[in-house]
Amino acid sequence: MGEEAPEEYDLDMLGGGEHERVMEWEAGLPGGDELTPLSQPLVPAGLAAAFRIPPEPGRTLLDVHRASAATVFRLRRASSSSSSSFPAFAASKGADEAESGGAGGGGGGAASEGGNGNNNSSSSKRARLVWTPQLHKRFVDVVAHLGMKNAVPKTIMQLMNVEGLTRENVASHLQKYRLYVKRMQGLSNEGPSPSDHTHLDVYKRQMHHHHHAYAAVSSYPHYHYADK
DNA sequence: CGTTGAATAT
DNA sequence: GATATTCAAC
């Protein structure tokens, strides 16, 4: 079976709701089902013809996504060049974060401390990035929406929109994630081992095992101090 | 040129 | 094992 290019973008964003969103931005706005579908022109064809309005160019979900990504990218640039410390822009702060597991999320709420602070410009070596479950979820969401075909490091990095996250960080993680996916497909219907791991499950187990200081329940990248 | 991806290093 | 770095290839 070959590889094909399914131009598929399963956007449950307009109706689903299992995605992380900045709810404050959406407060008071009409829901997706109350809005005119993208495929439907704002001006009826007959009326448009009567007033000699040229037909609107069809706007696909992909177009909207591109525009959105471009906007987000511009904002990201502007905010990062404006000041050295991160402004609040990555996403999800405080009152969101709904895991599919629900109450099982083992989390406590212990924020990580232990000497982590701000990397000042003097040290050129960046600390080691830790892929928290939150970060990983963002990564997986973006990859899923892009499709394996278009999911390349730079694009993923831009759409994740996480301050401080580099293309290299994503590339490295993507390499591992692809191996994981391949393994899963290889054992798609085989279940010889009772330990059926879901990527997120894997991460949850790791978190549970590391009962220690790490928790970092934010969508910012978590760095581990390793100055040289 | 910049980006990607696999191998390799820490 | 997880993440970083390197480097041939595109």
Side-chain angles (χ1 to χ4, degrees), chain A residues 105-147:
Chain A
S112 64
E113 218 71 3
N116 189 353
N118 292 331
N119 302 349
N120 259 352
S121 43
S122 32
S123 88
S124 52
K125 279 220 185 264
R126 275 234 219 198
R128 194 182 168 96
L129 174 69
V130 174
W131 284 87
T132 62
Q134 284 79 15
L135 254 188
H136 181 68
K137 182 177 191 301
R138 246 183 133 80
F139 170 86
V140 171
D141 284 347
V142 168
V143 170
H145 285 164
L146 282 173

Side-chain angles (χ1 to χ4, degrees), chain A residues 58-225:
Chain A
R59 238 156 249 154
T60 71
L61 236 37
L62 179 56
D63 292 327
V64 175
H65 265 187
R66 285 201 179 116
S68 176
T71 300
V72 155
F73 190 41
R74 265 185 260 114
L75 287 170
R76 183 176 174 276
R77 285 188 133 179
S79 60
S80 66
S81 65
S82 182
S83 68
S84 49
S85 61
F86 50 74
F89 192 74
S92 61
K93 230 180 180 175
D96 72 338
E97 230 46 67
E99 286 289 30
S100 47
S112 64
E113 218 71 3
N116 189 353
N118 292 331
N119 302 349
N120 259 352
S121 43
S122 32
S123 88
S124 52
K125 279 220 185 264
R126 275 234 219 198
R128 194 182 168 96
L129 174 69
V130 174
W131 284 87
T132 62
Q134 284 79 15
L135 254 188
H136 181 68
K137 182 177 191 301
R138 246 183 133 80
F139 170 86
V140 171
D141 284 347
V142 168
V143 170
H145 285 164
L146 282 173
M148 285 308 209
K149 267 275 172 84
N150 300 327
V152 292
K154 193 183 182 183
T155 310
I156 297 171
M157 179 199 68
Q158 290 172 171
L159 287 174
M160 282 183 73
N161 188 37
V162 172
E163 161 92 29
L165 188 67
T166 69
R167 189 168 57 84
E168 282 82 2
N169 289 142
V170 175
S172 183
H173 195 63
L174 179 63
Q175 183 177 13
K176 210 188 99 178
Y177 182 69
R178 279 172 172 160
L179 290 175
Y180 168 81
V181 169
K182 184 175 286 184
R183 291 249 298 251
M184 284 318 235
Q185 289 180 349
L187 306 170
S188 57
N189 54 37
E190 275 319 300
S193 60
S195 44
D196 255 27
H197 284 328
T198 302
H199 39 272
L200 261 159
D201 287 338
V202 170
Y203 272 78
K204 278 174 186 174
R205 281 163 212 258
Q206 286 181 4
M207 287 300 278
H208 190 271
H209 201 249
H210 283 280
H211 255 159
H212 296 150
Y214 310 48
V217 189
S218 91
S219 60
Y220 291 109
H222 181 265
Y223 287 112
H224 209 208
Y225 233 147

Side-chain angles (χ1 to χ4, degrees), chain A residues 28-41:
Chain A
L29 294 176
D33 47 346
E34 303 177 56
L35 295 172
T36 303
L38 286 167
S39 54
Q40 179 179 329

